[in-house]
């Protein structure tokens, strides 16, 4: 999916919602435990209930890797269950020396070797260009680089001075030498608020993956005030606020209700910005 195709997808759906599939056995509805693969069943029902309201799904790979071989199998099957016209993100936060990153890229992008072909993978930039460029060798695949995150410890490094700028600003500036806005996005946490204005000064045309709306307290209106660009430029992720809206047999219905609330807000935001 190209940048233009993603924008057109947003316009069709009137939504820039990404649903995070952070699925855990101890949080899914107990009636699903009777299934051979409870998490896969949970994911399928969530996807079926929300696929017309969102433009992306983002499984966090840690929630699958923790279950060993069975969990990895669930990740593969979840990837393949996501409709082909919906942007799929492996939230893996990988990044290592070049030959290792090459294998990570093959893991998430090469269906012949791993059974998976995600559209994008999240990557940590700390080890520099040679840890990121192997992911960029795949045509029509995306790197989503961690830039300014929503966790409590983000300031330990990301806000530290690096010359005449902060470290996250240096990441944004230097990484644009590795790829264009047609192949690279950035993770910017929703709780960063007005900092989106600083991000947009350095990356005006890039898509931003924005976690933290909902359970983490990020404000959708504030994010859009500072973060929208001429092609929307935002993928707003909500995980717990949608997928765990109910712990009962109506979990998929309640997930849809929460996704619909966000989609309706997003539609109005897009209209107000003359993007529809």
């Amino acid at each position: 999916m190209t940048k233009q195709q993603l924008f057109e997808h947003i316009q069709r759906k009137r939504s820039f919602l990404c649903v995070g599939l952070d699925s855990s056995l101890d949080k899914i509805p107990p009636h699903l435990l009777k299934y051979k693969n409870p998490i896969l069943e949970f994911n399928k029902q969530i996807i079926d209930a929300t696929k017309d309201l969102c433009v992306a799904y983002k499984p966090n790979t840690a929630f699958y890797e923790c279950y060993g071989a069975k969990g990895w199998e669930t990740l593969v099957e979840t990837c393949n269950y996501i409709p082909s016209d919906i942007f799929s993100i492996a939230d893996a936060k990988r990044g290592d020396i070049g030959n290792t990153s090459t294998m990570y890229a093959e893991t998430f992008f090469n269906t012949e070797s791993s059974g998976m072909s995600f559209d994008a993978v999240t990557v940590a930039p700390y080890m520099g260009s040679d840890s990121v460029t192997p992911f960029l060798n795949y045509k029509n695949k995306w790197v989503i680089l961690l830039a300014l995150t929503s966790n409590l410890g983000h300031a330990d490094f990301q806000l530290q001075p690096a010359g005449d700028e902060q470290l996250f600003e240096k990441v944004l500036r230097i990484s644009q030498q590795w790829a264009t806005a047609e192949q690279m996005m950035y993770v910017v946490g929703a709780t960063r608020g007005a900092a989106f204005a600083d991000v947009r000064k350095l990356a005006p045309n890039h898509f931003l993956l924005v976690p933290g709306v909902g359970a983490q307290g990020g404000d959708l209106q504030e994010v859009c005030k500072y973060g929208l660009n001429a092609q929307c430029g935002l993928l707003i992720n909500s995980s717990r606020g949608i997928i765990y809206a109910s712990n009962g047999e109506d979990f998929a219905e309640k997930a849809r209700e929460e996704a619909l609330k966000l989609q309706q807000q997003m539609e109005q935001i897009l209209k107000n910005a003359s993007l529809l």
Side-chain angles (χ1 to χ4, degrees):
M1 190 177 293
T2 66
K3 186 163 167 275
Q4 178 61 31
Q5 288 170 335
L6 181 55
F7 178 46
E8 291 170 358
H9 193 194
I10 287 168
Q11 290 179 307
R12 283 196 307 274
K13 293 276 188 76
R14 298 173 177 262
S15 169
F16 43 101
L17 175 63
C18 173
V19 176
L21 298 173
D22 301 357
S23 310
S24 177
L25 272 177
D26 62 350
K27 290 183 179 178
I28 66 173
H31 76 276
L32 294 178
L33 298 178
K34 66 185 179 183
Y35 287 89
K36 181 179 179 180
N37 191 331
I39 290 179
L40 182 61
E41 181 63 27
F42 176 77
N43 287 350
K44 285 181 173 181
Q45 291 195 39
I46 291 290
I47 291 169
D48 288 344
T50 60
K51 62 187 178 184
D52 61 321
L53 302 173
C54 68
V55 296
Y57 287 104
K58 182 180 71 66
N60 184 322
T61 63
F63 285 80
Y64 301 86
E65 293 171 294
C66 68
Y67 298 117
K70 178 87 177 273
W72 197 257
E73 179 183 324
T74 302
L75 179 63
V76 172
E77 294 193 49
T78 296
C79 173
N80 291 323
Y81 195 76
I82 295 171
S84 60
D85 63 340
I86 296 182
F87 197 72
S88 59
I89 302 167
D91 189 4
K93 301 180 180 70
R94 297 298 201 262
D96 206 331
I97 61 173
N99 62 341
T100 307
S101 281
T102 297
M103 293 298 101
Y104 282 143
E106 188 164 341
T107 299
F108 297 108
F109 291 156
N110 189 348
T111 188
E112 291 184 5
S113 58
S114 69
M116 294 182 289
S117 183
F118 283 95
D119 293 304
V121 62
T122 56
V123 177
Y126 186 76
M127 292 181 67
S129 60
D130 60 323
S131 69
V132 177
T133 51
F135 295 94
L136 297 166
N137 291 330
Y138 285 80
K139 187 178 180 181
N140 297 326
K141 300 294 186 180
W142 292 80
V143 163
I144 308 181
L145 209 64
L146 301 180
L148 186 60
T149 57
S150 57
N151 61 303
L152 291 175
H154 79 284
D156 292 346
F157 296 110
Q158 295 166 25
L159 301 186
Q160 293 302 306
D164 58 355
E165 57 192 347
Q166 293 175 302
L167 184 57
F168 85 89
E169 294 173 314
K170 187 177 287 290
V171 167
L172 288 169
R173 181 173 54 79
I174 292 178
S175 63
Q176 290 180 58
Q177 300 171 18
W178 310 338
T180 70
E182 296 292 334
Q183 200 177 8
M184 185 175 285
M185 303 183 187
Y186 295 103
V187 175
V188 181
T191 54
R192 302 283 71 87
F196 276 82
D198 297 325
V199 171
R200 279 301 184 209
K201 288 175 185 176
L202 290 166
N205 300 316
H206 288 71
F207 263 87
L208 308 177
L209 174 63
V210 184
V213 167
Q216 294 183 52
D219 183 85
L220 176 63
Q221 298 294 333
E222 187 176 33
V223 168
C224 293
K225 177 181 177 181
Y226 297 107
L228 277 177
N229 66 16
Q231 288 186 305
C232 181
L234 297 172
L235 293 176
I236 302 292
N237 182 79
S238 179
S239 300
R240 287 171 286 173
I242 291 177
I243 68 174
Y244 297 135
S246 170
N247 195 40
E249 294 192 6
D250 63 347
F251 77 94
E253 177 184 338
K254 294 300 181 184
R256 178 176 178 80
E257 290 177 8
E258 293 304 313
L260 181 60
K261 289 177 187 177
L262 283 170
Q263 183 273 323
Q264 290 174 337
Q265 292 178 57
M266 290 174 178
E267 180 175 0
Q268 191 59 53
I269 289 167
L270 291 169
K271 285 180 178 177
N272 292 344
S274 300
L275 294 174
L276 291 179

